[in-house]
Amino acid sequence: MKVSEEPKVGEALYHIRVKKGEIPRYVFLPGDPGRVKVFAESWDTSQLVAQEREYLTYKGKYKGVELACTSTGIGSGAIAIAVEELLRVGADTLIRTGTTGALSPEVKVGDMIISSGAYRADGATRAYAPLAYPAVPSYEVLLALVEAAESLGVRYWVGLTYSTDSFYLGQGRPGFNGYTSEYSERIVERLRKLRIINMEMESSTLFTLAGIYGARAGAIFAAIANRATGEFVPSDEFEASGVRTMVKVADEAVRILYEWDAKKAELNKPYFYPSLIKKL
Ligand code: URA
């Protein structure tokens, strides 16, 4: 019997069920499969690629740019699988488009947060690299997200993100029957002192794996909760939660990146730099 090291079903990758070459290089990564459809509806054309467990993939075109969106499920284990398999089938630029809890009282629910780096309180990346290894986005993706947010005139913040596998105690929320732990009681205050501006569950894994594999990554979030003011808005209340705004900013950021990438290719430059914009 021939034994394959690569878990596949026919030609498709085992979990995401996408085949090599079926998706373009730019891929959005929301956690929730429901949000993949919000992306698909925002594009000029879209089609279903695959659906398996929490991994739903659509691809399409936005203003002439080919892009895709795959849901990752929640937490580091689930997104690590998505990243591993998407890179194998042709993606090289992965943008997390999630929801988050803001730590600073100035951030309003519905604002955008763009991550400039992630605190690795996840579980999966310990199998990949020591904790001293940085979890940082690509500066090109980060800049394209800022450019898109500015061009659309939305409220946004740029700062450090805390990523944990635990929505409740890991983010300072009480567990069942009010159970708590020393870690949980201290974490919110500790993160504020470290000037971390938001809490979520996947970005440290995306950034760490992208760093190791030489891919580009970025992350933008809609703030659906504020841990200082106690506000919480369900993410399916699109206008109030900022999810629809996040989709618009992300689409526009990929259009901008595509232009920058084309200019880099034309001028044979490996990296984007600000005066390249004058040459556009
Ligand atoms: N996602 C999280 O992980 N935490 C929040 O508070 C909101 C969304």
Side-chain angles (χ1 to χ4, degrees):
M1 190 178 78
K2 193 167 168 253
V3 179
S4 166
E5 284 283 317
E6 196 74 354
K8 280 190 173 176
V9 176
E11 287 301 300
L13 272 290
Y14 180 60
H15 298 91
I16 61 171
R17 300 293 163 109
V18 178
K19 300 185 192 103
K20 197 173 176 87
E22 261 191 322
I23 51 156
R25 64 187 297 202
Y26 306 104
V27 184
F28 297 124
L29 302 176
D32 176 0
R35 249 173 271 145
V36 177
K37 293 191 181 138
V38 182
F39 268 103
E41 282 163 16
S42 75
W43 302 336
D44 304 318
T45 60
S46 66
Q47 71 184 86
L48 174 68
V49 178
Q51 177 160 29
E52 177 70 11
R53 299 182 185 228
E54 62 264 62
Y55 304 108
L56 171 65
T57 300
Y58 270 75
K59 68 178 175 183
K61 268 195 178 184
Y62 170 77
K63 296 188 179 170
V65 181
E66 287 184 36
L67 27 67
C69 182
T70 299
S71 51
T72 65
I74 296 177
S76 68
I79 192 171
I81 288 172
V83 172
E84 284 283 355
E85 297 189 2
L86 286 166
L87 295 178
R88 283 165 166 79
V89 295
D92 72 3
T93 302
L94 300 169
I95 307 180
R96 170 152 160 71
T97 48
T99 54
T100 193
L103 289 168
S104 141
E106 302 98 74
V107 180
K108 292 190 187 136
V109 164
D111 284 0
M112 301 297 108
I113 292 183
I114 297 168
S115 181
S116 58
Y119 180 122
R120 290 173 53 201
D122 67 84
T125 65
R126 284 154 208 251
Y128 284 79
L131 280 176
Y133 187 87
V136 286
S138 142
Y139 77 93
E140 295 184 347
V141 178
L142 169 54
L143 199 58
L145 288 165
V146 171
E147 181 74 31
E150 279 289 338
S151 72
L152 293 170
V154 307
R155 270 175 63 94
Y156 70 96
W157 307 80
V158 178
L160 295 171
T161 298
Y162 164 84
S163 304
T164 170
D165 283 324
S166 163
F167 182 82
Y168 290 94
L169 272 79
Q171 297 187 26
R173 297 184 171 99
F176 180 55
N177 277 341
Y179 176 74
T180 189
S181 65
E182 215 177 306
Y183 180 93
S184 186
E185 282 166 13
R186 292 190 177 168
I187 190 65
V188 168
E189 212 31 57
R190 198 165 150 60
L191 295 175
R192 280 207 191 101
K193 283 190 186 147
L194 295 171
R195 209 179 278 275
I196 287 176
I197 66 168
N198 70 307
M199 301 171 113
E200 57 84 68
M201 302 181 70
E202 292 83 18
S203 298
S204 61
T205 304
L206 171 61
F207 295 166
T208 304
L209 271 60
I212 293 168
Y213 294 136
R216 291 189 302 189
I220 180 166
F221 314 97
I224 62 161
N226 187 304
R227 303 304 305 284
T229 62
E231 286 170 278
F232 186 92
V233 172
S235 60
D236 56 356
E237 288 181 18
F238 290 125
E239 311 318 331
S241 68
V243 167
R244 221 187 285 283
T245 303
M246 178 184 64
V247 167
K248 281 190 196 139
V249 175
D251 281 342
E252 208 38 41
V254 163
R255 188 195 60 72
I256 290 164
L257 257 185
Y258 173 83
E259 276 188 6
W260 293 351
D261 288 343
K263 200 71 199 173
K264 278 160 52 188
E266 185 193 318
L267 300 177
N268 201 22
K269 294 286 180 189
Y271 303 112
F272 176 79
Y273 52 94
S275 59
L276 204 69
I277 295 169
K278 293 193 207 118
K279 304 183 206 306
L280 282 175

